[in-house]
Amino acid sequence: MLAVVVLVTTVTFGASLDNLVSHPALYGWNWNYALLSGFAGQEDLPGHQIATLLNQDPEIKAWSGVNFVGAKLDGQTVPMLTERPGSSVAPPLLSGHGLDASDQVVLGGTTLTELHKRVGDTVMFANRLAKPRRLLIVGTATMPSMTTSGLGMGTGALVSTSDFPTSLLNKQQSSIPGPNAILVRIRAGSNSSAAYRSLEEIDNKVMLCPMKAARGRRGLAAAPGRNRQFPFDGDYSRRPRCRFRRRAIAALGLTLGASVRRRRRDLALLKALGFTQRQLATSIAWQATVAAVIGIVFGIPLGIVAGRELWTLFAHNINAVPNPTVPLALVLLVA
């Protein structure tokens, strides 16, 4: 039973890790593409012009303009992502609710711990050009790791763009202030290649527009799954899982083998009493079957529960969205 628990726990944890790696929304990238300005996301995009083009694109479901900036919370410098309250594309929540007003803040889990705060507390927000004010912590979220902003899955804060003066957000002094990046989510069922080409056309139109204040090359970031900032190495993460699975399977075989060897004297006695080779094999088969059935009946449910709980604990530890996955096909194979 213990061997089955270990094996099912391992495959459940491994499937959940595969699910995390293959779903960027679980580690903060809950959009498909990002329009980024030059200078590592520090130049403004012509927001009004891009907004018109994005709203007219049938492939796009939602989009939000964001800025990357730093400020202080309770005296500690924190990397921040700014957008308008109620934006349709925002970091995935872990607790509480999203940004609904300019006097609110959503924090990464690590940042919340470092500030010794809880959801519902307040923090003193301060930047270089504005009077300090109190913000209410309304939730925690998985922050996306992108550009050189310093944001990480557990590090950073989401605040309202209106909390900063334009001069702080417009780092390259563009003549047409706008967001540093635009996060784009395409419609379900849309062709990703077609959506990407459509966004490239929008990008080209903006770059060719005489109204833009270009300081460096703007561009379209690839989908998170193809982005170099992908936070997990899928090949690397598979190797330890394969080792765990091989060892668990070996443990299961050794358990059944050891249970037979421990009764070799009983089997020898039965043979001396007249059991044939076939009858001995039948006895061993029944013994192994009883052990296997007990392992399946108790071990598989316990393994699933243990795998889900361990994954949830691990996801909270790395500030990812906990979404444990049970690989039914593998569990049936174990059975």
Side-chain angles (χ1 to χ4, degrees):
M1 184 175 69
L2 182 59
V4 173
V5 169
V6 171
L7 184 54
V8 175
T9 298
T10 302
V11 298
T12 300
F13 189 94
S16 300
L17 181 56
D18 286 334
N19 186 55
L20 172 65
V21 171
S22 59
H23 291 81
L26 299 179
Y27 53 82
W29 293 74
N30 59 347
W31 59 87
N32 301 97
Y33 300 101
L35 283 163
L36 295 172
S37 62
F39 296 101
Q42 294 185 358
E43 180 191 359
D44 287 1
L45 293 168
H48 291 296
Q49 184 199 6
I50 291 183
T52 301
L53 295 171
L54 291 175
N55 289 332
Q56 294 173 349
D57 194 321
E59 301 288 345
I60 295 174
K61 178 182 179 181
W63 61 272
S64 295
V66 300
N67 290 84
F68 309 105
V69 66
K72 290 188 176 182
L73 295 177
D74 281 357
Q76 296 187 30
T77 301
V78 177
M80 296 186 179
L81 183 72
T82 80
E83 62 181 9
R84 293 180 180 178
S87 293
S88 53
V89 181
L93 292 173
L94 297 175
S95 65
H97 63 81
L99 200 67
D100 294 332
S102 60
D103 61 348
Q104 299 176 354
V105 59
V106 176
L107 298 177
T110 302
T111 300
L112 183 71
T113 301
E114 291 174 347
L115 293 173
H116 306 290
K117 298 289 185 177
R118 295 181 297 177
V119 174
D121 292 343
T122 60
V123 288
M124 186 63 71
F125 168 83
N127 58 56
R128 291 186 287 108
L129 301 179
K131 183 179 179 181
R133 57 194 295 246
R134 287 205 167 272
L135 299 180
L136 176 66
I137 303 172
V138 296
T140 59
T142 299
M143 297 295 172
S145 302
M146 59 186 302
T147 71
T148 57
S149 62
L151 293 168
M153 286 198 294
T155 305
L158 173 66
V159 297
S160 172
T161 303
S162 61
D163 289 333
F164 291 89
T166 303
S167 56
L168 278 182
L169 299 178
N170 186 7
K171 298 177 183 179
Q172 299 297 326
Q173 302 301 312
S174 302
S175 59
I176 308 175
N180 298 149
I182 294 178
L183 312 180
V184 179
R185 187 180 298 153
I186 64 176
R187 297 186 183 278
S190 295
N191 184 288
S192 59
S193 298
Y196 188 84
R197 288 193 298 270
S198 179
L199 288 171
E200 281 187 319
E201 292 178 5
I202 291 176
D203 183 50
N204 291 332
K205 290 178 181 178
V206 172
M207 292 186 68
L208 295 174
C209 176
M211 295 296 291
K212 70 175 174 53
R215 285 176 172 269
R217 186 179 182 277
R218 298 186 177 93
L220 179 62
R226 300 196 302 270
N227 196 285
R228 290 189 178 185
Q229 296 173 9
F230 193 72
F232 296 101
D233 183 341
D235 292 334
Y236 176 80
S237 66
R238 286 190 184 95
R239 289 196 291 269
R241 294 204 302 280
C242 290
R243 287 196 295 268
F244 277 127
R245 289 173 183 172
R246 288 197 297 268
R247 290 171 183 174
I249 292 171
L252 184 59
L254 288 172
T255 299
L256 292 175
S259 69
V260 173
R261 286 196 304 272
R262 286 179 59 189
R263 289 170 174 79
R264 64 186 182 275
R265 293 182 183 274
D266 298 331
L267 296 173
L269 178 60
L270 293 174
K271 189 174 182 180
L273 291 175
F275 269 49
T276 64
Q277 198 71 21
R278 182 186 182 89
Q279 289 172 322
L280 285 175
T282 301
S283 300
I284 294 173
W286 273 107
Q287 179 187 340
T289 300
V290 170
V293 168
I294 292 174
I296 290 170
V297 171
F298 294 98
I300 286 183
L302 289 174
I304 291 174
V305 172
R308 289 175 61 89
E309 290 299 320
L310 283 175
W311 175 254
T312 300
L313 182 64
F314 175 76
H316 283 305
N317 190 53
I318 63 172
N319 298 287
V321 178
N323 186 27
T325 301
V326 179
L328 294 179
L330 280 176
V331 171
L332 290 175
L333 183 60
V334 170

